[in-house]
Amino acid sequence: MKIAVIGQGLFGQEVYCHLKKEGHEIVGVFTVPDKNGKADPLGLEAEKDGVPVFKFTRWRARGQALPDVVAKYRALGAELNVLPFCSQFIPMEVIGAPYHGSIIYHPSLLPRHRGASAINWTLIHGDKKGGFTIFWADDGLDTGDLLLQKECEILPDDTVSTLYNRFLFPEGIKGMINWEQPAEAIHNWIRGNDKVPGAWTEACGQKLTFFNSTLNTAGLVPEGEALPIPEAHRPGVVTKEGLILFGNDDRMLLVKNIQLEDGKMIPASKFFGREDNDTLELTEAELVTREAVRKAWKRILPNVLEVEDSTDFFKSGAASVDVVRLVEEMKELCDGLELENEDIYMATTFMDFIQLLVRKLRGDDRKSECIIDYVEKAINKLILQMPHQLFIGGMFVDAEDAKTYGTINPTDGSVICQVSLAQISDVDKAVAAAKDAFENGLWGKISARDRGRLLYRLADLMEQHQEELATIEALDAGATYTLALKTHVGMSIQTFRYFAGWCDKIQGSTIPINQARPNRNLTLTRKEPIGVCGIIIPWNYPLMMLSWKTAACLAAGNTVVIKPAQVTPLTALKFAELTLKAGIPKGVINILPGSGSLIGQRLSDHPDVRKIGFTGSTEVGKHIMKSCALSNVKKVSLELGGKSPLIIFADCDLSKAVQMAMSSVFFNKGENCIAAGRLFIEDSIHDQFLQKVVEEVSKMKIGNPLDRDTNHGPQNHQAHLQKLIEYCQRGVKEGATLVCGGNQVPLPGFFFEPTVFTDVEDHMFIAKEESFGPIMIISRFANGDVDTVLSRANATEFGLASGIFTRDISKALYVSDKLEAGTVFINTYNKTDVAAPFGGFKQSGFGKDLGEAALNEYLRVKTITVEY
């Protein structure tokens, strides 16, 4: 390395000699002028070797650096300044000039003793410990960031001379990374020097600088090509995830980016790989663009006389604000082209940047492509392309041991495709990816407004692919296509747009508190993301339930691991593909199809998951809540079972009540968490209501969910169909009147007849338990007996939703006040909206989806109090 030594005295001479011995090129020595005709030892030593020696009486005047002095220094081209025992004031124009900045060797343990006589004070004060500090120079008095400290014991007879000779020699210049330390210390060193000056080492005959280090190596296997590193405890290993390094404790750390000696930044995983060296030949129009970009670089880098192909953006003085400016200038210059900050870091020279820019403009951005192994099906006048692997860290990958299972088409019972079956180790990998994305990735660094922009883009992509998504819902979940298009997919799109708008409106408050007189206090709150969240979704609305929870989770700034229902994974995996196209950073969203008892359990138990959002049965919800408490007291929100009462009074609009009652039960084949589980019909209209319901049921067309006139598709899966058959058999056995239905439809697949029971008494199983299917449960109540029917409606441990039909507004409001449910519908049903909070009472769970209230499920509140 080219080093300029700035210092004096015997210690400066010792440092100089050591640097020479280590093979570094000393391009110049700056020391104090001769005193009484006697040269300083440092200058004398350098002159012997023919090294240029400068003896400036001063470096600045009236607080300003002397131009001729700075010019002489800059002409040497130093890459690092080393300042051993320097008593002169060196201007920041020199301190900050080299690529690696300036290192000061200080002969004491900062911050205890500062200044030139620090070692003397170590002995004067009788310190038991002495030592040596290396720190990056700044414009204060020994106040720069500490890089390295080494201690030694102060012996009773130690002198300044013995301390110098015994211990205080230049440790820090040996290799920058000290490999004789644990993995965590190496990781801290790398991240502490990211992005400038960079932690580097010698390997493969060149200097390598490491960036973007993480200790999240769960599930990583050190298999790949070995990278020998002199003095390292073990060779590094280049894997597809990056460069794995080892501390002297044999723990691993992962480095994701490497800067080569020529300044080029590459993914660490590509270190041994053959780079795509095909240089694009630019068209005439692209040559014009190149020159316009060159002018933009010149505006951003005013100190560069000429922007050449080899000009490095960062070596030319660019800072992080200049990265943002370059991204914005390119957007304006190239008609809205979206670059990421990371693009600039990966293409730092002008030529590399032009190549990257042109590839993006041509739509040939190969480096950002994700390889997807699609399953293709020609169906519904579309060619469906369906991902079928796990989605972890922005990549579609096989499960451990390549385990798979068949996902079934409920329309005919056939296997749609084989889907990767996640294992516990896959959960650990996904959580590690989410944690790394939260703590170290771009997701936490971009502004809330930019986060919203990405979610808006994702919603737009979902809208562009809505026919494909709706077809997959019909194929995998049995949803009728028209309903899937409007609700399953349509509301999912609305949900992401709604929460995208919330991203930059999440804010705390200022709070007046008692003052600490005579001082004053300011107390404020901040709403912060929780971290890694686990979301476990059901099979009835695969995409919509994913969207309800995930949109709020992401808007709040979290990262997420999603476990879709094992029987309906395909829209979740298609959603994963769209997140890549939207530019959601890798690791922010991870999706693991698999068993609830294995994957859901591991997410609930995982110590790095800080929140679980679950929709499903009450039984499983209780188990999850217990696991969250025992593991790490996770925050949890639960949307569980329901037995929602619908009370229809005699003074209602009967035609509307019948239509809404049909929807309340048979919507989405009855696989609807807020389905009316029990209808209470006032006695005087019971028979008329029942007659009209049976007439409407007879009009329902059961069949292929992709047929546009089908309004009742197959049940989701075989086990659920069997449960519905047994449910109806039990209702008949207990004495309820089966008016119609109750049987499997004689078609291939899992079709079940729309069913109506009446004369259902309160003690019966079907009066108390949810069917989660197309089964209407009707009970009578006496004319005018409002309080009794209210008592019967509330006589359940569930409290998700409820409904009332009446023309009497006073009665409606009275009943709505008394109903113990999270949602009450009056003269309507199933009317949910993305802006209205949704969630239950009692054993239907707690916490909210949708609306502003949902954001609080994924945020934590921090209180900050300042005294002044």
Side-chain angles (χ1 to χ4, degrees), residues 373-683:
D373 181 23
Y374 292 112
V375 171
E376 292 193 354
K377 283 192 178 293
I379 191 169
N380 200 26
K381 299 181 181 179
L382 297 169
I383 302 296
L384 292 184
Q385 290 188 314
M386 298 179 289
H388 62 98
Q389 297 167 290
L390 312 182
F391 185 66
I392 300 175
M395 296 169 55
F396 285 97
V397 296
D398 288 336
E400 181 187 8
D401 297 330
K403 291 185 178 179
T404 63
Y405 70 98
T407 186
I408 305 298
N409 181 351
T411 302
D412 59 13
S414 64
V415 175
I416 301 169
C417 64
Q418 291 295 313
V419 176
S420 292
L421 181 66
Q423 304 299 303
I424 287 179
S425 63
D426 299 311
V427 179
D428 294 340
K429 292 175 187 176
V431 172
K435 187 169 188 265
D436 189 44
F438 181 77
E439 294 179 350
N440 305 311
L442 288 173
W443 190 243
K445 298 173 185 174
I446 62 176
S447 69
R449 195 157 295 161
D450 284 342
R451 189 163 66 241
R453 179 176 55 82
L454 290 174
L455 296 185
Y456 275 124
R457 190 187 301 168
L458 176 57
D460 290 345
L461 283 163
M462 292 170 71
E463 188 169 53
Q464 291 169 27
H465 291 263
Q466 60 184 332
E467 290 85 2
E468 194 173 359
L469 289 166
T471 302
I472 296 173
E473 288 281 78
L475 187 67
D476 200 26
T480 57
Y481 177 74
T482 50
L483 179 65
L485 199 60
K486 177 183 182 296
T487 301
H488 288 237
V489 179
M491 195 172 187
S492 299
I493 295 166
Q494 292 174 26
T495 302
F496 272 98
R497 286 195 174 131
Y498 173 80
F499 283 107
W502 267 110
C503 288
D504 61 354
K505 299 169 188 69
I506 298 170
Q507 54 197 15
S509 58
T510 56
I511 303 169
I513 66 169
N514 288 337
Q515 305 291 353
R517 297 178 181 176
N519 294 339
R520 301 176 66 80
N521 292 105
L522 170 67
T523 292
L524 55 93
T525 60
R526 289 186 57 183
K527 292 184 178 180
E528 300 178 341
I530 296 171
V532 179
C533 300
I535 290 178
I536 304 170
I537 57 175
W539 43 259
N540 58 327
Y541 294 105
L543 184 63
M544 192 173 80
M545 291 294 99
L546 178 153
S547 300
W548 280 21
K549 296 183 188 301
T550 304
C553 175
L554 297 179
N558 301 287
T559 58
V560 65
V561 179
I562 301 168
K563 195 208 84 65
Q566 186 171 352
V567 293
T568 53
L570 295 181
T571 42
L573 294 173
K574 189 66 182 180
F575 168 82
E577 178 193 346
L578 298 182
T579 68
L580 288 177
K581 293 183 177 180
I584 305 292
K586 295 177 180 180
V588 172
I589 297 171
N590 306 271
I591 299 180
L592 302 176
S595 160
S597 60
L598 192 69
I599 306 309
Q601 184 65 56
R602 178 57 180 156
L603 283 172
S604 301
D605 291 337
H606 202 293
D608 289 332
V609 175
R610 292 295 172 186
K611 160 70 197 266
I612 290 288
F614 171 76
T615 295
S617 72
T618 298
E619 180 185 6
V620 174
K622 290 178 178 179
H623 185 77
I624 285 174
M625 189 174 176
K626 182 178 179 180
S627 297
C628 289
L630 293 175
S631 56
N632 59 348
V633 196
K634 290 177 179 62
K635 190 172 184 178
V636 61
S637 54
L638 304 171
E639 196 250 281
L640 307 177
K643 189 67 176 173
S644 301
L646 174 57
I647 305 173
I648 299 179
F649 291 98
D651 61 355
C652 70
D653 178 338
L654 187 59
S655 294
K656 182 178 182 182
V658 169
Q659 292 300 319
M660 288 291 107
M662 290 288 294
S663 173
S664 75
V665 175
F666 301 120
F667 189 83
N668 198 47
K669 312 161 291 174
E671 296 168 355
N672 186 20
C673 50
I674 58 170
R678 192 176 182 194
L679 278 66
F680 294 93
I681 312 299
E682 196 160 6
D683 198 47

Side-chain angles (χ1 to χ4, degrees), residues 324-372:
V324 176
R325 179 179 171 185
L326 182 57
V327 168
E328 293 304 312
E329 289 219 20
M330 293 305 100
K331 184 189 295 185
E332 186 174 341
L333 178 65
C334 302
D335 298 324
L337 176 70
E338 296 284 353
L339 292 179
E340 301 291 346
N341 291 1
E342 205 66 18
D343 291 328
I344 316 299
Y345 290 118
M346 296 302 288
T348 61
T349 67
F350 182 75
M351 186 175 79
D352 287 343
F353 180 75
I354 289 295
Q355 291 286 308
L356 176 142
L357 190 72
V358 171
R359 288 189 190 281
K360 284 184 175 287
L361 288 170
R362 292 182 183 183
D364 184 28
D365 184 22
R366 285 170 286 176
K367 291 184 179 180
S368 65
E369 287 180 1
C370 172
I371 298 173
I372 304 176

